[in-house]
Amino acid sequence: MRLDRFLSNRPALNRLDARLHLAQGHVRVNGSPVLDGRYEVRLFDRVELLDELLQAGKPARYFMLHKPVGYVSATQHPDHPTVIDLLDEQDKADLHLSGRLDLNTSGLMLITNDGLWSRRLTLPSNKLPKVYYVETADPIQPEYITTFAAGLYFEFEDLTTMPAQLDILGERHARLTLVEGRYHQVKRMFGHFRNQVMHLHRESIGPIMLDPALAPGEYRALTEAEIACGLPN
Ligand code: URA
């Protein structure tokens, strides 16, 4: 919500009061005066008017989880345990998943209470590379490389996938780098060649790599550097 609106929503303040307080530098956000009423107040901001605390600001929280196979990328599910069940944290209802993985996919999941951060991370225009390790039922042919690089037409969405990089590691295993996240994208890309994906594991999202110290089901807080990759320069 805009700061001017946030202020004038207070029972003791009207719009004119709010404007005057702003103009006189009476309003501080995270310790610094803010004069511009268009400032977007976030849940995490500490907002003060003179010596009155209007909002304490919640701590922003960011985690990486090693998602195991068999867990749903959702906050609740009637039939399966969810990745949120794996977190031993307070206020889990505030947390959301920044991107999803299929039930039988393992690997890096990012979880946060910062909606702006996860929106930036998942914004298609940011083209953050997501790297997947893939094992298939049948041999992976060299022609897949050019087909994936050219993009595949997905009829359901009526779109052509963005260029993807395939590195063939062995007869039935490869590393695939995507810059978008369409529904079941990896499985559908291999499905184009009628080659079933038997095992799928996300290794990284942009510069954030799944910490090899995390066993399936374990998680840790992101470091400052990892968090910074979702923020503007
Ligand atoms: N592509 C898929 O097919 N499944 C995933 O879980 C992620 C990407």
Side-chain angles (χ1 to χ4, degrees), residues 151-161 182-183 188-189 192:
L152 275 170
Y153 179 65
F154 280 2
E155 196 175 346
F156 183 73
E157 295 94 333
D158 186 25
L159 57 80
T160 299
T161 56
R182 305 283 166 200
Y183 182 65
R188 290 163 78 192
M189 288 171 73
H192 171 81

Side-chain angles (χ1 to χ4, degrees), residues 52-97:
E52 187 188 354
L53 178 61
L54 304 186
Q55 174 176 287
K58 282 194 170 191
R61 295 181 294 161
Y62 309 88
F63 303 105
M64 72 158 73
L65 168 81
H66 185 163
K67 177 193 175 297
V69 167
Y71 281 74
V72 187
S73 295
T75 46
Q76 285 179 5
H77 196 275
D79 305 321
H80 298 283
T82 75
V83 291
I84 296 286
D85 294 336
L86 293 165
L87 305 179
D88 181 17
E89 296 295 325
Q90 307 251 305
D91 298 328
K92 289 209 259 184
D94 290 351
L95 297 170
H96 65 268
L97 313 175

Side-chain angles (χ1 to χ4, degrees), residues 17-172:
D17 299 327
R19 276 225 297 278
L20 289 174
H21 280 303
L22 283 165
Q24 291 172 92
H26 291 167
V27 184
R28 287 189 313 282
V29 179
N30 303 324
S32 306
V34 174
L35 304 180
D36 188 350
R38 290 169 302 180
Y39 178 94
E40 282 292 328
V41 179
R42 307 186 63 210
L43 209 60
F44 314 114
D45 286 329
R46 179 181 175 86
V47 185
E48 294 162 283
L49 171 61
L50 295 167
D51 50 12
E52 187 188 354
L53 178 61
L54 304 186
Q55 174 176 287
K58 282 194 170 191
R61 295 181 294 161
Y62 309 88
F63 303 105
M64 72 158 73
L65 168 81
H66 185 163
K67 177 193 175 297
V69 167
Y71 281 74
V72 187
S73 295
T75 46
Q76 285 179 5
H77 196 275
D79 305 321
H80 298 283
T82 75
V83 291
I84 296 286
D85 294 336
L86 293 165
L87 305 179
D88 181 17
E89 296 295 325
Q90 307 251 305
D91 298 328
K92 289 209 259 184
D94 290 351
L95 297 170
H96 65 268
L97 313 175
S98 182
R100 282 161 203 280
L101 291 174
D102 294 340
L103 181 69
N104 55 2
T105 301
S106 59
L108 177 63
M109 290 227 52
L110 299 175
I111 301 171
T112 180
N113 61 347
D114 184 345
L116 198 57
W117 184 83
S118 52
R119 264 199 299 287
R120 285 192 189 120
L121 210 66
T122 50
L123 212 60
S125 56
N126 273 349
K127 296 203 178 119
L128 266 194
K130 291 172 252 306
V131 180
Y132 293 89
Y133 171 79
V134 191
E135 284 177 13
T136 55
D138 298 319
I140 300 169
Q141 306 299 340
E143 62 172 302
Y144 292 20
I145 296 174
T146 42
T147 305
F148 290 177
L152 275 170
Y153 179 65
F154 280 2
E155 196 175 346
F156 183 73
E157 295 94 333
D158 186 25
L159 57 80
T160 299
T161 56
M162 293 206 240
Q165 186 185 327
L166 182 70
D167 299 297
I168 300 177
L169 305 173
E171 198 184 34
R172 289 179 171 78

Side-chain angles (χ1 to χ4, degrees), residues 101-102 105 132 184-187 200:
L101 291 174
D102 294 340
T105 301
Y132 293 89
H184 292 330
Q185 182 161 348
V186 176
K187 290 171 188 156
L200 184 58

